[in-house]
């Protein structure tokens, strides 16, 4: 038996996310001060203050530091990682070598700030000092990654570095990528001295956006918002069958919206919900698994999505609001399905809910309350928009001040309402008697916590003729400022409204919450800052060597060009990498390597896969790794609270998350789930049908619908699920999805195509690497009028007829299809490149007709199971 003490859940969060070193008061105070300074620095560069100070003082450095922020950002991350995360067991002191590493890491980062003008004058001609500082920075970064993120990311980065340094000696790699190798000087300059490697897109997004959202979440948690989420969820759902488990799902979704860590989310809500689940009859493993599934799925939920939402903005090159739109429906469906799984588990075990004082709230009333809440929020939003529109002629461009006055009045009113009720305290989940709190005092007792979230959502999403939608960074900044005001003032204001008792004490408590939020935000960012920097090594290697071609050819060879096999391999790769990498780093690595391969293989199979669908696919499986045995850290954190077996907890949690693993495959083949090119009413239909399908899939995986399912009933339910999710599969068997045109008829068809109507062009040409003929599919959308040749020419495709063949010339750089065609095909080989066919969607029956037999089959299953039901379904 091991003598090593078992880590508590809080210790696991510290070890994985925030730093587990406890080296005495002096070092603790230093780490605390650095965290506060880092958070204030991030708020400073996000505000307009740098420009104002530069203008007032004439000192340009106040503003210049914003352009250099990513170097300072990584300097803070390396310094705090070195001081807060012990290595080789030194938890109670900071050894001399750590102080040396901390100083060297900061020096390597700030070198790029102090000597930026000299460096700019010699791009690519790096001096000896440049290379030495780059090497030092890389070593400290790798050690910091090992400290804060573990060995897997270091190993992966090391393999890519070996490829950069030694790949030029491999004839096979050279033939695939035309990479001839890189000297130490060239590689270090590429990784450290410019923005192609460590200081690339990922670290830039971490600097400008991710930190602010994480800080916002930390501030909300420390001010009491996290506890309010939990108590509202318990008051709403706690008295239902299996209520604490359902409350765990709801509260984890709410905290997961603004949390960047599934482990921290597990501990935040699980400390309270897991003991309650055990109390009503859940086993330790199932109680932990519900919390793990809920908390990992929190990273699917906009607006933060485990920080990946902001990276998708850069990698997919679409507005942030589009990422939120695409992510919304799968996240909601996944959470409702998890609620249903919990309900089925409760039915199978015959569980009850918590006792609750006052009037009981049934499922219909809960649904009415949710609908009323959404309608009320929409009404408030429209009212604010209307008032600002009325005031715009009177105060052009200044209606923001009126909006701020309305926000302040709403805040004061909500705090006054909260002061009429007892403060929302953190209950002891291990108490002998635990009851669900009443909804009205719980909801109104902390409703003001919703105002900063309202500010965030407003700035991210609202746009009218007179109002501009803000960037994610500015939205997070103003939401954080609103949260700072709430943290500082809600306690003293409630004390004033209650007669001024303990005003000084409450003011001090509010300031303490504010400072604790600044510290927690910075501590939560250490791992993310280091991860985005280290992942830049991988991205930099790909741009330096073309490594994605190597990985892509290996995966393509194994899959045999079959898209489904390829997707399964990518899913497994994401799960394996995600066992040792944080979600953000896993997403960066796998999307950089595999997104181009999925697009390429999909095109070869005649399937046009939207880029956002590929990135969401990779992201989903990266998240699922957090509860995948044997390494899922969220499962270990939940088991530390439940005192259950962590491996069993992970296995049960993963069984609950099978529904989440299904979604990525579905929205690759049915992009309606991502609301791509879907109208409002069609979106409602997609939501309703997809929700029913996902609930049925959950019932099939649990082996229980209205009663315990027989094998054939489960198979029938799965058939219904498949039909609801992919009705086009059956329609394709009856009618061809496309009209196919070849030769001159294809040119004529393109000329007749209405503007904005998509067509698919099949191109065959010799593969650039193998010389063998290969086929790909292009998505072509004509924008203007004209004949087929003119429309192709406008898109950069030069075509000329030779008999019945349509020969294609190499597209010019900068044209829409240059990257797709010129980089993969040889236009000067023995066989000419040609357009084989043009495919245009056929006018056929609506695929939704197949919903009818699916629902008839479902009705048959209900009729068969109803006589066997031993208890009400709800």
């Amino acid at each position: 038996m091991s003598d090593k003490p078992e880590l508590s859940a809080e210790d696991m969060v510290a070890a994985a996310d925030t730093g587990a070193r406890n080296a005495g008061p002096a070092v603790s105070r230093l780490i605390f001060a650095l965290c506060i300074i880092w958070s204030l620095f991030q708020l400073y560069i996000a505000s307009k203050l740098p420009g104002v100070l530069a203008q007032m003082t004439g000192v340009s450095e106040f503003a210049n530091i914003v352009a250099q922020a990513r170097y300072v950002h990584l300097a803070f991350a390396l310094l705090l990682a070195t001081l807060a995360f012990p290595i080789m067991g030194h938890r109670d002191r900071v050894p001399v070598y750590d102080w040396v590493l901390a100083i060297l890491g900061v020096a390597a980062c700030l070198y790029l700030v102090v000597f930026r003008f000299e460096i700019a004058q010699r791009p690519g001609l790096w001096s000896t000092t440049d290379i030495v500082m780059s090497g030092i920075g890389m070593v400290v970064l790798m050690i910091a990654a090992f400290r804060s993120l573990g060995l897997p990311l270091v190993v992966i980065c090391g393999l890519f570095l070996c490829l950069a340094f030694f790949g030029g000696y491999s004839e096979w790699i050279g033939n695939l990528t035309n990479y001839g190798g890189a000297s130490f000087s060239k590689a270090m300059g590429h990784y450290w001295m410019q923005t192609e490697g460590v200081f690339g897109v990922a670290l830039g997004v971490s600097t400008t956006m991710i930190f602010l959202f994480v800080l916002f979440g930390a501030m909300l948690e420390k001010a009491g918002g996290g506890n309010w989420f939990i108590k509202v969820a318990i008051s709403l759902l706690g008295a239902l069958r299996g209520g604490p488990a359902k409350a765990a799902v709801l509260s984890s979704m709410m905290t997961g919206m603004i949390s960047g860590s599934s482990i921290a989310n597990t501990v935040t809500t699980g400390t309270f919900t897991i003991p309650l689940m055990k109390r009503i009859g859940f086993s330790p493993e199932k109680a932990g698994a519900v919390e793990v599934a809920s908390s990992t799925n929190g990273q699917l939920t906009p607006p933060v999505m485990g920080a990946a939402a902001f990276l998708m903005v850069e990698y997919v090159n679409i507005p942030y609001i589009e990422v939120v739109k695409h992510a919304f429906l799968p996240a909601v469906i996944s959470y409702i399905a998890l609620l249903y799984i919990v309900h089925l588990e409760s039915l199978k075990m015959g569980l009850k809910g918590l006792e609750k004082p006052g009037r009981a709230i049934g499922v219909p009333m809960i649904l009415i309350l949710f609908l009323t809440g959404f309608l009320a929020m929409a009404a408030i939003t429209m009212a604010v928009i209307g008032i600002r529109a009325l005031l715009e002629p009177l105060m052009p461009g200044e209606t923001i001040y009126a909006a701020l006055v309305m926000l302040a009045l709403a805040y004061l009113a909500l705090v006054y309402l909260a002061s009429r009720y007892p403060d929302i305290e953190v209950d002891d989940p291990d108490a002998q008697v635990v009851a669900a709190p009443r909804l009205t005092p719980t909801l109104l007792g902390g409703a003001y916590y919703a105002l900063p979230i309202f500010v965030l959502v407003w700035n991210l999403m609202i746009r009218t003729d007179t109002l501009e939608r803000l960037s994610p960074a500015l939205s997070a900044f103003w939401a954080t400022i609103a949260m700072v005001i709430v943290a500082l003032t809600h306690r003293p204001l409630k004390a004033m409204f209650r007669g001024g008792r303990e005003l000084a004490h409450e003011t001090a408590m509010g300031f303490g919450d504010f400072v604790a939020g600044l510290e927690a935000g910075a501590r939560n960012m250490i791992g993310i800052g280091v991860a985005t920097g280290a992942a830049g090594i991988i991205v930099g290697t790909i741009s330096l060597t073309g490594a994605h071609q190597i990985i892509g050819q290996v995966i393509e060879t194994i899959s045999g060009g079959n898209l489904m096999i390829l997707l399964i391999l990518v899913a497994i790769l994401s799960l394996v990498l995600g066992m040792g990498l944080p979600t953000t780093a896993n997403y960066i690595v796998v999307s950089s390597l595999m997104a181009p391969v999925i697009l390429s293989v999909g095109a070869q199979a005649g399937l046009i896969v939207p880029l956002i669908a590929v990135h969401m696919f990779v992201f989903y499986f990266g998240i699922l790794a957090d509860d995948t045995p044997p390494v899922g850290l969220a499962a270990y954190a939940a088991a530390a609270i439940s005192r259950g077996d962590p491996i069993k907890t992970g296995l049960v949690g993963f069984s609950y998350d099978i529904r989440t693993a299904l979604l990525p495959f579905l929205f690759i083949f049915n992009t309606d789930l991502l609301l791509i090119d879907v109208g409002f009413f069609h979106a409602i239909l997609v939501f309703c049908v997809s929700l029913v399908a996902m609930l049925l899939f959950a019932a099939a995986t649990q082996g229980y619908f209205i009663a315990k399912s027989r094998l054939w009933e489960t198979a029938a339910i799965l058939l219904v699920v498949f039909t609801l999710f992919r009705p086009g599969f059956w329609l394709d068997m009856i009618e061809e999805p496309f009209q196919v045109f070849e030769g001159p008829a294809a040119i004529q068809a393109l000329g007749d195509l209405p503007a904005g109507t998509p067509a698919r062009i099949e191109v065959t040409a010799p593969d650039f690497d193998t010389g063998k003929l290969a086929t790909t599919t292009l998505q072509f959308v004509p924008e203007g009028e004209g004949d087929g040749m003119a429309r192709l020419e406008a898109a950069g495709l030069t075509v000329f007829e030779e008999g019945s063949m349509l020969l294609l010339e190499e597209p010019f750089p900068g044209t829409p299809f240059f990257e797709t065609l010129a980089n993969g095909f040889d236009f000067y080989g023995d066989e000419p490149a040609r357009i084989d066919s043009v495919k245009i969607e056929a006018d056929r029956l609506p695929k939704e007709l197949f919903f009818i037999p699916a629902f008839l089959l479902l009705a048959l299953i209900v009729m068969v199971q109803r006589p066997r039901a031993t208890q009400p379904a709800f």
Side-chain angles (χ1 to χ4, degrees):
M1 189 176 203
S2 174
D3 295 329
K4 186 177 180 180
E6 185 177 351
L7 289 178
S8 68
E10 290 77 9
D11 289 336
M12 294 185 69
V13 173
D17 280 352
T18 60
R21 176 115 62 189
N22 185 12
V27 173
S28 297
R29 282 194 294 267
L30 175 60
I31 293 174
F32 170 78
L34 289 171
C35 289
I36 301 300
I37 294 170
W38 192 13
S39 292
L40 293 176
F41 169 77
Q42 294 289 157
L43 288 173
Y44 168 77
I45 63 171
S47 69
K48 294 183 178 180
L49 195 57
V52 172
L53 290 176
Q55 190 173 9
M56 290 175 57
T57 63
V59 180
S60 61
E61 290 303 315
F62 282 115
N64 289 340
I65 192 63
V66 177
Q68 312 300 318
R70 64 181 67 184
Y71 306 117
V72 181
H73 182 83
L74 186 61
F76 272 112
L78 294 180
L79 179 57
L80 284 168
T82 305
L83 295 178
F85 288 87
I87 193 171
M88 295 191 292
H90 296 296
R91 295 189 63 177
D92 57 349
R93 67 186 180 89
V94 181
V96 173
Y97 62 80
D98 274 353
W99 290 111
V100 173
L101 286 173
I103 294 169
L104 289 175
V106 172
C109 294
L110 298 187
Y111 175 80
L112 299 170
V113 177
V114 176
F115 298 100
R116 62 185 181 278
F117 298 115
E118 292 86 343
I119 293 170
Q121 292 173 1
R122 53 174 187 268
L125 303 174
W126 314 120
S127 68
T128 302
T129 307
D130 293 341
I131 302 307
V132 170
M133 296 306 291
S134 299
I136 290 172
M138 292 285 286
V139 170
V140 176
L141 175 61
M142 295 287 274
I143 295 173
F146 174 66
R147 291 172 183 275
S148 55
L149 305 169
L151 189 60
L153 183 57
V154 178
V155 171
I156 295 169
C157 290
L159 291 174
F160 276 86
L161 286 172
C162 289
L163 175 64
F165 288 123
F166 307 114
Y169 297 104
S170 169
E171 183 178 347
W172 176 66
I173 292 175
N175 290 335
L176 278 178
T177 65
N178 295 320
Y179 176 62
S183 65
F184 183 80
S185 174
K186 179 182 177 182
M188 287 299 102
H190 184 80
Y191 288 124
W192 196 264
M193 300 302 297
Q194 51 194 23
T195 56
E196 295 290 328
V198 171
F199 298 101
V201 170
L203 190 66
V205 172
S206 177
T207 304
T208 57
M209 285 189 269
I210 297 175
F211 192 106
L212 292 171
F213 278 88
V214 171
L215 179 60
F216 172 78
M219 198 74 68
L220 181 63
E221 170 62 30
K222 294 300 180 182
N227 182 53
W228 179 64
F229 286 153
I230 296 172
K231 299 298 285 288
V232 168
I234 293 287
S235 65
L236 267 174
L237 306 176
L240 299 178
R241 188 190 299 271
K246 294 172 181 174
V249 175
L250 181 60
S251 59
S252 292
M253 182 186 74
M254 292 190 290
T255 55
M257 286 192 301
I258 42 85
S259 169
S261 168
S262 57
I263 303 169
N265 195 5
T266 298
V267 173
T268 300
T269 56
T271 301
F272 186 76
T273 58
I274 289 175
L276 291 183
M277 284 187 269
K278 290 172 62 179
R279 183 177 296 279
I280 65 167
F282 275 81
S283 68
E285 287 75 21
K286 285 191 175 182
V290 169
E291 185 57 53
V292 166
S294 306
S295 298
T296 53
N297 277 208
Q299 293 190 79
L300 305 176
T301 313
V304 175
M305 294 170 60
F310 317 113
L311 291 164
M312 285 185 194
V313 170
E314 300 295 328
Y315 290 159
V316 186
N317 195 27
I318 60 175
Y320 175 81
I321 189 67
E322 289 294 310
V323 174
V324 171
K325 183 184 81 171
H326 298 318
F328 178 75
L329 191 60
V332 172
I333 290 173
S334 181
Y335 261 112
I336 295 176
L338 183 56
L339 280 170
Y340 185 56
I341 287 174
V342 167
H343 179 72
L344 292 175
E345 289 281 19
S346 303
L347 279 175
K348 288 190 287 185
M349 292 185 283
L351 303 181
K352 298 187 180 299
L354 297 174
E355 295 295 327
K356 182 176 182 179
R359 186 164 56 93
I361 302 177
V363 174
M365 181 56 66
I366 291 173
L367 295 176
I368 291 172
L369 288 172
F370 270 110
L371 181 60
T372 304
F374 280 116
L375 292 176
M377 192 62 68
I380 292 170
T381 302
M382 296 305 297
V384 174
I385 292 173
I387 292 171
R388 292 188 66 174
L390 290 173
L391 292 175
E392 184 63 30
L394 302 176
M395 41 194 310
E398 305 294 333
T399 58
I400 181 61
Y401 299 109
L404 290 175
V405 170
M406 288 188 284
L407 184 67
L409 291 175
Y411 174 56
L412 291 173
L414 289 174
V415 173
Y416 175 78
L417 272 177
S419 70
R420 302 298 93 187
Y421 298 99
D423 287 336
I424 301 175
E425 302 291 343
V426 179
D427 291 336
D428 179 9
D430 295 319
Q432 290 300 313
V433 178
V434 179
R438 293 186 59 201
L439 177 60
T440 301
T442 304
L443 183 63
L444 296 181
Y448 54 85
Y449 288 120
L451 284 179
I453 300 175
F454 178 78
V455 171
L456 177 65
V457 174
W458 173 283
N459 288 330
L460 283 171
M461 298 188 177
I462 301 300
R463 183 179 65 184
T464 67
D465 293 338
T466 57
L467 298 176
E468 281 297 323
R469 188 182 291 138
L470 297 186
S471 68
L474 268 179
S475 301
F477 171 75
W478 288 117
T480 304
I481 294 299
M483 194 62 242
V484 167
I485 294 171
V486 170
L488 288 171
T489 62
H490 77 106
R491 289 178 181 272
L493 282 174
K494 282 193 288 189
M496 288 175 56
F497 290 137
R498 290 168 178 164
R501 298 185 302 274
E502 299 185 342
L503 179 60
H505 173 71
E506 293 298 318
T507 302
M509 291 284 290
F511 184 76
D513 291 341
F514 163 64
V515 173
L518 291 177
E519 182 191 12
R523 278 188 173 272
N524 293 339
M525 272 302 300
I526 297 173
I528 295 176
V530 172
T532 51
I537 296 174
I538 298 164
V539 176
T541 303
I542 292 171
S543 65
L544 181 66
T545 66
H548 63 281
Q549 297 176 40
I550 303 169
I551 306 294
Q553 179 144 334
V554 171
I555 296 292
E556 280 188 57
T557 301
I558 296 173
S559 67
N562 184 292
L563 182 61
M564 182 56 72
I565 296 175
L566 173 68
L567 291 173
I568 293 172
L569 291 173
V570 172
I572 294 171
L573 177 65
S574 300
L575 287 173
V576 171
L577 287 177
M579 290 181 190
L581 298 182
T583 305
T584 308
N586 183 23
Y587 165 69
I588 295 170
V589 173
V590 183
S591 64
S592 300
L593 290 173
M594 299 312 306
V597 182
I598 296 176
L599 292 173
S600 172
V601 174
Q604 291 172 19
L607 180 67
I608 303 297
V609 184
L611 186 57
I612 183 64
V614 176
H615 281 258
M616 290 283 287
F617 181 94
V618 170
F619 174 59
Y620 264 55
F621 279 101
I623 286 173
L624 291 176
D626 277 345
D627 61 5
T628 304
V631 187
L633 294 178
Y636 277 85
I641 300 171
S642 69
R643 302 303 173 191
D645 183 276
I647 300 297
K648 289 182 180 178
T649 300
L651 288 172
V652 177
F654 190 75
S655 73
Y656 292 161
D657 269 343
I658 289 175
R659 80 204 186 286
T660 307
L662 174 69
L663 281 170
F665 288 96
L666 292 171
F667 54 59
I668 287 287
F669 295 99
N670 182 8
T671 56
D672 287 355
L673 286 170
L674 298 180
L675 301 182
I676 296 176
D677 298 328
V678 169
F680 177 75
F681 292 106
H682 189 194
I684 294 175
L685 175 65
V686 169
F687 171 73
C688 295
V689 172
S690 300
L691 178 59
V692 171
M694 186 55 73
L695 295 180
L696 291 173
F697 181 75
T701 59
Q702 295 301 305
Y704 194 101
F705 183 36
I706 295 173
K708 187 176 180 180
S709 297
R710 297 179 177 130
L711 191 60
W712 75 266
E713 292 169 346
T714 298
I717 291 173
L718 289 174
L719 180 61
V720 173
V721 170
F722 179 79
T723 303
L724 294 180
F725 273 129
R726 285 277 286 126
F729 176 84
W730 305 112
L731 183 58
D732 291 346
M733 297 178 67
I734 298 173
E735 293 185 272
E736 290 294 330
F738 297 103
Q739 290 179 284
V740 181
F741 302 90
E742 298 177 351
I747 300 299
Q748 181 65 37
L750 288 176
D752 296 338
L753 197 65
T757 303
R760 299 186 179 193
I761 300 176
E762 278 198 357
V763 175
T764 297
D767 184 273
F768 192 84
D769 297 315
T770 65
K772 297 179 181 179
L773 287 177
T775 300
T776 190
T777 304
L778 307 178
Q779 177 90 336
F780 175 75
V781 183
E783 295 181 355
E785 299 298 329
D787 60 26
M789 286 291 192
R791 284 179 156 182
L792 289 170
E793 191 73 36
L797 296 175
T798 303
V799 180
F800 56 92
E801 297 183 28
E802 188 174 287
S804 61
M805 295 178 63
L806 299 177
L807 303 186
L808 182 66
E809 292 188 354
E810 182 178 14
F812 289 106
T815 55
F817 301 108
F818 173 76
E819 292 291 333
T820 304
L821 295 176
N823 290 342
F825 296 97
D826 183 4
F827 284 80
Y828 305 100
D830 295 334
E831 291 283 342
R834 63 181 185 269
I835 292 178
D836 282 339
S837 64
V838 169
K839 296 181 177 180
I840 299 174
E841 285 193 21
D843 185 13
R844 54 183 188 159
L845 294 171
K847 61 185 179 182
E848 289 78 13
L849 285 176
F850 288 90
F851 293 159
I852 297 173
F855 282 117
L856 290 175
L857 179 57
L858 179 62
L860 175 63
I861 297 169
V862 171
M863 291 172 58
V864 170
Q865 285 201 355
R866 185 176 292 278
R868 304 203 309 270
T870 58
Q871 53 190 327
F874 292 98

